[in-house]
Structures are given as C-alpha cells and as structure tokens.
Amino acid sequence: MPMLMREERIQLIEFGKKLVDSRLTKGTGGNLSIYDRKNSHIAITPSGIDFFEIRLEDIVILDIDANIIEGDKKPSSELEMHLILYRTRQDINAVIHAHTIYSTVLGCLNLDLPATHYLTAVAGTNVRCAKYATYGTKQLAINACEAMEDRKAVILANHGILTGGRDLQNAFSIAEDIEYCSEIYCKARSIGEPVILSNEEMKIIAEKFKKHGQNKANL
C-alpha cells in the first residue's frame, strides 16, 4: 500500500537506531521528526516503541495543527516541542530530542553549555538550558523554543537535549557534537575552570563551518 512520506519514515527509523547505537539515548527515550514544508506534513516517531522495533507503518503523519493524517499509533509525547519549532523556525526541517548523558548532566545542574570547545558553534555561540517544565507539556515546548532562539540546540533542564537542523542528518550531527562538547566541558570542570572562547571567535568559526564539511555547511 502507498504511504505518505515513505522515505522520511525510513530515515526516522534509521536515525532512531543511530541514536541508540551512538549512545545518545537508550530504550524508548527520545523522538525524531521531519517536516515536509511543501505539503505541510510532519512525520514523527510513535510514543513508547523501542527504536529497533518501529515499523514504517508505526510512524505518524500529521499536519502542522497536530491533526493525524496517516497512522494508528500515538505520536511522541513531545510532539509540541517539534511543532513549535516548525511553526516558528523557517531554518529547521528536522528535530531530534534525546536523553544524552553529559548534556543531561548539565541540564540537571540547570547550566548552559559555554563555548569551551569550538564545535559548540554548530549550535550557536553557546547552548542555553531551558527552564524546567513537565515532559510532554506545552510549557516545556515554549521554554525550549525560547531558549533555542538563534540556536540549533537547547538543553532541557532535568531532562535531555533538543536539536534542529535543515535535515535529519544535520540535526543528528548537531546532537552528536553538542553531546561531545558537553562531555569535554563536564570533564574539564572536574579538573579546573575551563577557558571560554569569545563570542567574536565563535562567530568566526560559524562562518568557517559554512565552507567546511558536509553536515555543518549552511548551519
């Protein structure tokens, strides 16, 4: 049977498995989505199904108003976080939420991730920590969106990380790089006081990224 956003469903299943294999999350923790702006269709992973058990037909297709167009599963409980970014950010067409270790450590301390490593520039001059709100609520989506202004990633207080990109590969790469930078920062703080790169330097690096590599281009 034909299905909407078939290629996007394949990508969501593939990258969901990559999140687990890369130790960026575990079990059913986290969710992924892709927005087809031309047709105003969103494909999102279902709620509570192991990433290695999700089938193509389990992916839920919705419109921007959260109306289910295709699928009989419940969409991710964090749907609101995905929708608010697609409604407010023209530069984001894919969103990943994951329960990473080190960025979540920062979230549990309600700390921002400063620019201690130049790779932080994939997301912005730093990564802010959003104010805490109960998971799956509209307030969490609002808090995340506000803290992610002019950024491609946000740390969710006492929760995890949220990233957005021009496509799913880009959003995944940002999540991977920010988790790496979070690990470096946490370990550096255990030894001493990390040196923070200036905003001016981070802007230079962001410009260099536009001409370097495949996944960081056009951030």
Side-chain angles (χ1 to χ4, degrees), residues 154-186:
V154 62
I155 294 169
L156 306 174
N158 308 87
H159 190 157
I161 191 173
L162 183 72
T163 66
R166 65 181 183 277
D167 54 34
L168 203 57
Q169 175 64 68
N170 188 220
F172 180 87
S173 295
I174 292 169
E176 200 169 36
D177 287 342
I178 294 306
E179 174 62 2
Y180 171 76
C181 292
S182 297
E183 180 177 359
I184 294 297
Y185 179 62
C186 288

Side-chain angles (χ1 to χ4, degrees), residues 24-25 97-111 129 155-161 178-179 182-183 186:
L24 294 176
T25 201
H97 165 50
H99 295 171
T100 47
I101 297 296
Y102 287 95
S103 53
T104 303
V105 167
L106 296 179
C108 289
L109 295 168
N110 285 199
L111 293 176
C129 180
I155 294 169
L156 306 174
N158 308 87
H159 190 157
I161 191 173
I178 294 306
E179 174 62 2
S182 297
E183 180 177 359
C186 288

Side-chain angles (χ1 to χ4, degrees), residues 107-151:
C108 289
L109 295 168
N110 285 199
L111 293 176
D112 296 344
L113 171 65
T116 49
H117 193 290
Y118 75 90
L119 275 178
T120 306
V122 299
T125 52
N126 70 342
V127 180
R128 305 184 189 99
C129 180
K131 294 179 181 179
Y132 178 79
T134 305
Y135 87 92
T137 61
K138 187 168 289 189
Q139 188 60 55
L140 176 59
I142 293 170
N143 293 353
C145 186
E146 289 178 350
M148 200 166 153
E149 184 179 0
D150 299 322
R151 304 286 188 274

Side-chain angles (χ1 to χ4, degrees), residues 29-101:
N31 33 79
L32 309 85
S33 71
I34 298 173
Y35 185 27
D36 175 1
R37 289 189 179 274
K38 181 179 179 181
N39 297 302
S40 295
H41 289 163
I42 298 163
I44 191 167
T45 49
S47 176
I49 301 180
D50 188 286
F51 286 117
F52 285 88
E53 296 178 0
I54 296 175
R55 303 167 300 169
L56 289 179
E57 56 267 32
D58 294 329
I59 301 297
V60 186
I61 309 299
L62 312 97
D63 63 21
I64 197 64
D65 295 316
N67 298 306
I68 294 179
I69 299 171
E70 195 169 275
D72 59 3
K73 297 293 189 296
K74 289 176 59 177
S76 167
S77 60
E78 298 296 0
L79 174 62
E80 289 289 344
M81 280 203 301
H82 296 251
L83 291 176
I84 197 170
L85 290 178
Y86 295 142
R87 289 167 180 158
T88 61
R89 297 283 298 269
Q90 293 297 311
D91 58 329
I92 290 177
N93 300 312
V95 173
I96 292 178
H97 165 50
H99 295 171
T100 47
I101 297 296

